[in-house]
Amino acid sequence: MITLHTFPSPNGRKASILLEELGLTYRVHRVDLVAGENKRPDFLAISPITKIPALVEELPGGRSRRLFGSGAILLHFSERTGRLVPDNLDDKAEAMSWFMLGISDLGPTSVDMLRFSVRAPEKIPYAIDLFKGELMRCYAAMDERLAEAEHLANGYSIADIACFPFIAAAAVAGGGLLERFANLKRWHDAVAARPAVQRGMAVPE
Ligand SMILES: N[C@@H](CCC(=O)N[C@@H](CS)C(=O)NCC(=O)O)C(=O)O
């Protein structure tokens, strides 16, 4: 059995979308980040950085395996099942490149943009302009790629899952993002229509 420790956020939803796409049975433990549940010793033992998503897999013989971070979770299960990642080395290289853009550029930059433009007590124009510019670079790169390809790699893969929740969050936040990037909108709407994505986006309820 798999227990997913998560919270309603884009990083958490990458993990739940993946588990739904793979049809794996899992239970959900909602970690209340607002109440600081992520700082408790039992959660620290699963996620040393005290961030969700994290996951525990019970294995035969009473053993268990932990995984923390959306990137590690996506890579582990795609490798274990041989699904959601292309076999062909050229296609896999493309998939890994977009996967890493989602994990190391789009995700952190989206969070930093929110922090500096909304949450910061003092609005620092340099920081807001910097993260806005970086975010536009991510959106423009994805939009250009999606002008020539249906998905970020050749076929739906963990690259799409690594990026989708942050694009969905930006779409919900407004600001006309999807109106400015037509290919990104077409891709967003197609991914959002997948039943497994809809189930994963609703976790935790
Ligand atoms: N690199 C991690 C980042 C995870 C992350 O930032 N999680 C946030 C919620 S989206 C969190 O747990 N924040 C709690 C905290 O910072 O204390 C990933 O890709 O999963």
Side-chain angles (χ1 to χ4, degrees):
M1 175 58 94
I2 294 167
T3 304
L4 175 65
H5 300 265
T6 191
F7 183 76
S9 76
N11 284 315
R13 284 170 176 154
K14 290 182 219 167
S16 44
I17 290 173
L18 173 94
L19 295 171
E20 292 291 342
E21 289 284 6
L22 294 175
L24 297 172
T25 306
Y26 65 104
R27 55 178 169 238
V28 176
H29 173 237
R30 187 185 201 282
V31 181
D32 189 341
L33 298 181
V34 181
E37 281 178 10
N38 54 322
K39 301 287 171 5
R40 288 187 190 162
D42 54 344
F43 186 66
L44 184 70
I46 304 167
S47 176
I49 193 167
T50 67
K51 291 184 181 183
I52 64 91
L55 172 158
V56 177
E57 240 186 311
E58 285 154 39
L59 301 169
R63 288 195 314 120
S64 65
R65 179 189 288 139
R66 76 165 184 204
L67 277 158
F68 60 92
S70 60
I73 293 171
L74 266 58
L75 279 177
H76 172 78
F77 284 99
S78 62
E79 203 166 288
R80 212 184 83 176
T81 59
R83 292 172 55 199
L84 295 172
V85 70
D87 289 333
N88 169 298
L89 213 49
D90 289 345
D91 291 340
K92 192 171 179 180
E94 191 68 19
M96 286 305 112
S97 301
W98 291 106
F99 168 79
M100 286 308 300
L101 180 138
I103 298 296
S104 62
D105 291 290
L106 178 65
T109 306
S110 301
V111 174
D112 286 332
M113 179 65 187
L114 180 74
R115 285 184 176 136
F116 283 98
S117 63
V118 179
R119 295 192 189 146
E122 181 198 348
K123 303 290 179 274
I124 306 164
Y126 174 79
I128 295 170
D129 290 348
L130 175 72
F131 289 115
K132 192 173 178 190
E134 289 299 310
L135 210 43
M136 287 302 140
R137 279 172 82 177
C138 292
Y139 296 156
M142 292 176 72
D143 192 65
E144 207 170 299
R145 167 66 180 159
L146 292 164
E148 62 184 32
E150 187 181 354
H151 295 107
L152 291 168
N154 186 11
Y156 180 70
S157 72
I158 55 169
D160 301 292
I161 300 175
C163 294
F164 176 77
F166 279 105
I167 299 298
V172 168
L177 164 71
L178 295 182
E179 284 66 42
R180 268 176 287 158
F181 296 100
N183 306 302
L184 197 55
K185 175 173 169 39
R186 191 257 314 141
W187 169 87
H188 166 274
D189 293 351
V191 176
R194 294 177 69 90
V197 170
Q198 291 173 3
R199 290 194 301 274
M201 288 293 283
V203 173
E205 285 178 67

mmCIF file of all heavy atoms in Angstrom, residues 7 9-12 14 33 38-39 49-53 68-71 103 111 115 166, ligand 1:
data_model
loop_
_atom_site.group_PDB
_atom_site.id
_atom_site.type_symbol
_atom_site.label_atom_id
_atom_site.label_comp_id
_atom_site.label_asym_id
_atom_site.label_seq_id
_atom_site.Cartn_x
_atom_site.Cartn_y
_atom_site.Cartn_z
ATOM 1 N N PHE A 7 -1.087 18.005 0.337
ATOM 2 C CA PHE A 7 -1.829 19.222 0.695
ATOM 3 C C PHE A 7 -2.364 19.766 -0.634
ATOM 4 O O PHE A 7 -1.782 19.470 -1.674
ATOM 5 C CB PHE A 7 -0.836 20.220 1.342
ATOM 6 C CG PHE A 7 -1.443 21.503 1.832
ATOM 7 C CD1 PHE A 7 -2.169 21.537 3.015
ATOM 8 C CD2 PHE A 7 -1.272 22.694 1.116
ATOM 9 C CE1 PHE A 7 -2.719 22.734 3.488
ATOM 10 C CE2 PHE A 7 -1.822 23.892 1.585
ATOM 11 C CZ PHE A 7 -2.547 23.905 2.772
ATOM 12 N N SER A 9 -2.068 21.663 -3.251
ATOM 13 C CA SER A 9 -1.106 22.576 -3.868
ATOM 14 C C SER A 9 -0.577 21.937 -5.149
ATOM 15 O O SER A 9 -0.658 20.709 -5.307
ATOM 16 C CB SER A 9 0.063 22.843 -2.913
ATOM 17 O OG SER A 9 0.908 21.720 -2.900
ATOM 18 N N PRO A 10 -0.015 22.734 -6.061
ATOM 19 C CA PRO A 10 0.464 22.172 -7.333
ATOM 20 C C PRO A 10 1.491 21.039 -7.155
ATOM 21 O O PRO A 10 1.421 20.030 -7.847
ATOM 22 C CB PRO A 10 1.069 23.377 -8.053
ATOM 23 C CG PRO A 10 0.309 24.555 -7.509
ATOM 24 C CD PRO A 10 0.060 24.217 -6.063
ATOM 25 N N ASN A 11 2.433 21.182 -6.227
ATOM 26 C CA ASN A 11 3.426 20.113 -6.070
ATOM 27 C C ASN A 11 2.761 18.817 -5.602
ATOM 28 O O ASN A 11 3.090 17.733 -6.076
ATOM 29 C CB ASN A 11 4.529 20.537 -5.100
ATOM 30 C CG ASN A 11 5.495 21.512 -5.741
ATOM 31 O OD1 ASN A 11 5.918 21.313 -6.870
ATOM 32 N ND2 ASN A 11 5.822 22.585 -5.040
ATOM 33 N N GLY A 12 1.826 18.942 -4.654
ATOM 34 C CA GLY A 12 1.113 17.759 -4.172
ATOM 35 C C GLY A 12 0.321 17.103 -5.299
ATOM 36 O O GLY A 12 0.260 15.875 -5.402
ATOM 37 N N LYS A 14 0.922 17.028 -8.469
ATOM 38 C CA LYS A 14 1.725 16.264 -9.445
ATOM 39 C C LYS A 14 1.734 14.798 -9.019
ATOM 40 O O LYS A 14 1.573 13.901 -9.845
ATOM 41 C CB LYS A 14 3.174 16.771 -9.469
ATOM 42 C CG LYS A 14 3.364 18.131 -10.066
ATOM 43 C CD LYS A 14 4.859 18.448 -10.042
ATOM 44 C CE LYS A 14 5.124 19.881 -9.703
ATOM 45 N NZ LYS A 14 6.530 20.141 -9.365
ATOM 46 N N LEU A 33 -0.428 22.143 6.313
ATOM 47 C CA LEU A 33 0.758 23.016 6.333
ATOM 48 C C LEU A 33 0.493 24.284 7.135
ATOM 49 O O LEU A 33 1.400 24.827 7.765
ATOM 50 C CB LEU A 33 1.161 23.390 4.897
ATOM 51 C CG LEU A 33 1.572 22.239 3.968
ATOM 52 C CD1 LEU A 33 1.951 22.786 2.594
ATOM 53 C CD2 LEU A 33 2.726 21.432 4.545
ATOM 54 N N ASN A 38 3.560 19.687 9.114
ATOM 55 C CA ASN A 38 4.762 19.221 8.401
ATOM 56 C C ASN A 38 6.027 19.312 9.246
ATOM 57 O O ASN A 38 7.063 18.765 8.885
ATOM 58 C CB ASN A 38 4.945 20.006 7.091
ATOM 59 C CG ASN A 38 4.970 21.505 7.289
ATOM 60 O OD1 ASN A 38 4.228 22.037 8.114
ATOM 61 N ND2 ASN A 38 5.796 22.197 6.562
ATOM 62 N N LYS A 39 5.938 20.003 10.387
ATOM 63 C CA LYS A 39 7.121 20.135 11.254
ATOM 64 C C LYS A 39 7.160 19.048 12.328
ATOM 65 O O LYS A 39 8.078 19.005 13.132
ATOM 66 C CB LYS A 39 7.125 21.538 11.903
ATOM 67 C CG LYS A 39 7.140 22.697 10.900
ATOM 68 C CD LYS A 39 8.494 22.820 10.252
ATOM 69 C CE LYS A 39 8.702 23.739 9.117
ATOM 70 N NZ LYS A 39 8.093 24.625 8.428
ATOM 71 N N ILE A 49 12.989 17.570 4.471
ATOM 72 C CA ILE A 49 12.900 19.017 4.193
ATOM 73 C C ILE A 49 11.563 19.589 4.674
ATOM 74 O O ILE A 49 11.273 20.769 4.506
ATOM 75 C CB ILE A 49 13.173 19.288 2.695
ATOM 76 C CG1 ILE A 49 13.405 20.763 2.401
ATOM 77 C CG2 ILE A 49 12.112 18.693 1.798
ATOM 78 C CD1 ILE A 49 13.976 21.097 1.057
ATOM 79 N N THR A 50 10.746 18.717 5.252
ATOM 80 C CA THR A 50 9.414 19.048 5.813
ATOM 81 C C THR A 50 8.478 19.690 4.779
ATOM 82 O O THR A 50 7.702 20.589 5.096
ATOM 83 C CB THR A 50 9.498 19.936 7.089
ATOM 84 O OG1 THR A 50 10.002 21.220 6.759
ATOM 85 C CG2 THR A 50 10.343 19.300 8.167
ATOM 86 N N LYS A 51 8.565 19.182 3.533
ATOM 87 C CA LYS A 51 7.658 19.668 2.492
ATOM 88 C C LYS A 51 6.864 18.495 1.937
ATOM 89 O O LYS A 51 7.363 17.360 1.899
ATOM 90 C CB LYS A 51 8.450 20.322 1.343
ATOM 91 C CG LYS A 51 9.113 21.629 1.738
ATOM 92 C CD LYS A 51 9.798 22.270 0.539
ATOM 93 C CE LYS A 51 10.474 23.561 0.949
ATOM 94 N NZ LYS A 51 11.073 24.243 -0.194
ATOM 95 N N ILE A 52 5.643 18.794 1.490
ATOM 96 C CA ILE A 52 4.867 17.801 0.754
ATOM 97 C C ILE A 52 5.180 18.003 -0.732
ATOM 98 O O ILE A 52 5.626 19.096 -1.096
ATOM 99 C CB ILE A 52 3.339 17.925 1.027
ATOM 100 C CG1 ILE A 52 2.768 19.258 0.528
ATOM 101 C CG2 ILE A 52 3.050 17.745 2.499
ATOM 102 C CD1 ILE A 52 2.246 19.270 -0.836
ATOM 103 N N PRO A 53 4.962 17.063 -1.620
ATOM 104 C CA PRO A 53 4.440 15.736 -1.348
ATOM 105 C C PRO A 53 5.539 14.795 -0.863
ATOM 106 O O PRO A 53 6.711 14.962 -1.189
ATOM 107 C CB PRO A 53 3.932 15.289 -2.729
ATOM 108 C CG PRO A 53 4.874 15.946 -3.694
ATOM 109 C CD PRO A 53 5.186 17.284 -3.074
ATOM 110 N N PHE A 68 10.418 11.575 -1.145
ATOM 111 C CA PHE A 68 9.930 12.937 -0.916
ATOM 112 C C PHE A 68 10.294 13.815 -2.105
ATOM 113 O O PHE A 68 11.311 13.608 -2.754
ATOM 114 C CB PHE A 68 10.463 13.515 0.405
ATOM 115 C CG PHE A 68 11.962 13.608 0.501
ATOM 116 C CD1 PHE A 68 12.628 14.766 0.125
ATOM 117 C CD2 PHE A 68 12.708 12.536 0.979
ATOM 118 C CE1 PHE A 68 14.009 14.847 0.219
ATOM 119 C CE2 PHE A 68 14.096 12.620 1.083
ATOM 120 C CZ PHE A 68 14.742 13.773 0.700
ATOM 121 N N GLY A 69 9.403 14.755 -2.408
ATOM 122 C CA GLY A 69 9.598 15.643 -3.559
ATOM 123 C C GLY A 69 8.854 15.114 -4.767
ATOM 124 O O GLY A 69 8.907 13.917 -5.072
ATOM 125 N N SER A 70 8.163 16.040 -5.460
ATOM 126 C CA SER A 70 7.353 15.589 -6.598
ATOM 127 C C SER A 70 8.219 14.978 -7.695
ATOM 128 O O SER A 70 7.817 14.002 -8.335
ATOM 129 C CB SER A 70 6.540 16.768 -7.148
ATOM 130 O OG SER A 70 7.394 17.806 -7.585
ATOM 131 N N GLY A 71 9.412 15.518 -7.919
ATOM 132 C CA GLY A 71 10.272 14.988 -8.986
ATOM 133 C C GLY A 71 10.662 13.543 -8.716
ATOM 134 O O GLY A 71 10.571 12.680 -9.603
ATOM 135 N N ILE A 103 10.069 20.849 -12.945
ATOM 136 C CA ILE A 103 10.508 20.670 -11.554
ATOM 137 C C ILE A 103 11.397 21.825 -11.076
ATOM 138 O O ILE A 103 11.242 22.315 -9.962
ATOM 139 C CB ILE A 103 11.279 19.322 -11.412
ATOM 140 C CG1 ILE A 103 10.370 18.122 -11.747
ATOM 141 C CG2 ILE A 103 11.909 19.180 -10.029
ATOM 142 C CD1 ILE A 103 9.191 17.918 -10.826
ATOM 143 N N VAL A 111 6.207 29.785 -7.553
ATOM 144 C CA VAL A 111 6.072 30.014 -6.106
ATOM 145 C C VAL A 111 6.738 31.338 -5.720
ATOM 146 O O VAL A 111 6.170 32.140 -4.962
ATOM 147 C CB VAL A 111 6.673 28.822 -5.312
ATOM 148 C CG1 VAL A 111 6.676 29.122 -3.817
ATOM 149 C CG2 VAL A 111 5.889 27.539 -5.597
ATOM 150 N N ARG A 115 5.116 34.619 -3.954
ATOM 151 C CA ARG A 115 5.659 35.165 -2.701
ATOM 152 C C ARG A 115 5.935 36.655 -2.819
ATOM 153 O O ARG A 115 5.551 37.439 -1.954
ATOM 154 C CB ARG A 115 6.973 34.459 -2.353
ATOM 155 C CG ARG A 115 6.759 33.066 -1.809
ATOM 156 C CD ARG A 115 8.093 32.463 -1.407
ATOM 157 N NE ARG A 115 7.887 31.161 -0.808
ATOM 158 C CZ ARG A 115 8.626 30.098 -1.086
ATOM 159 N NH1 ARG A 115 9.621 30.180 -1.945
ATOM 160 N NH2 ARG A 115 8.388 28.951 -0.486
ATOM 161 N N PHE A 166 0.973 23.728 -12.205
ATOM 162 C CA PHE A 166 1.336 25.154 -12.081
ATOM 163 C C PHE A 166 0.676 25.997 -13.174
ATOM 164 O O PHE A 166 0.345 27.164 -12.946
ATOM 165 C CB PHE A 166 2.858 25.323 -12.082
ATOM 166 C CG PHE A 166 3.446 25.051 -10.724
ATOM 167 C CD1 PHE A 166 4.130 23.879 -10.451
ATOM 168 C CD2 PHE A 166 3.282 25.972 -9.694
ATOM 169 C CE1 PHE A 166 4.638 23.623 -9.188
ATOM 170 C CE2 PHE A 166 3.790 25.736 -8.423
ATOM 171 C CZ PHE A 166 4.470 24.545 -8.172
HETATM 172 N N1 LIG B 1 10.862 20.515 -4.618
HETATM 173 C C1 LIG B 1 9.643 20.119 -3.956
HETATM 174 C C2 LIG B 1 8.940 21.350 -3.429
HETATM 175 C C3 LIG B 1 7.748 20.980 -2.570
HETATM 176 C C4 LIG B 1 7.111 22.186 -1.926
HETATM 177 O O1 LIG B 1 7.550 23.338 -2.100
HETATM 178 N N2 LIG B 1 6.067 21.914 -1.149
HETATM 179 C C5 LIG B 1 5.363 22.971 -0.452
HETATM 180 C C6 LIG B 1 3.859 22.921 -0.786
HETATM 181 S S1 LIG B 1 3.604 23.129 -2.508
HETATM 182 C C7 LIG B 1 5.501 22.746 1.047
HETATM 183 O O2 LIG B 1 5.398 21.637 1.523
HETATM 184 N N3 LIG B 1 5.721 23.826 1.789
HETATM 185 C C8 LIG B 1 5.785 23.762 3.226
HETATM 186 C C9 LIG B 1 6.902 24.591 3.749
HETATM 187 O O3 LIG B 1 7.619 25.231 2.958
HETATM 188 O O4 LIG B 1 7.070 24.597 4.978
HETATM 189 C C10 LIG B 1 8.739 19.343 -4.942
HETATM 190 O O5 LIG B 1 8.922 19.472 -6.165
HETATM 191 O O6 LIG B 1 7.872 18.596 -4.489
#
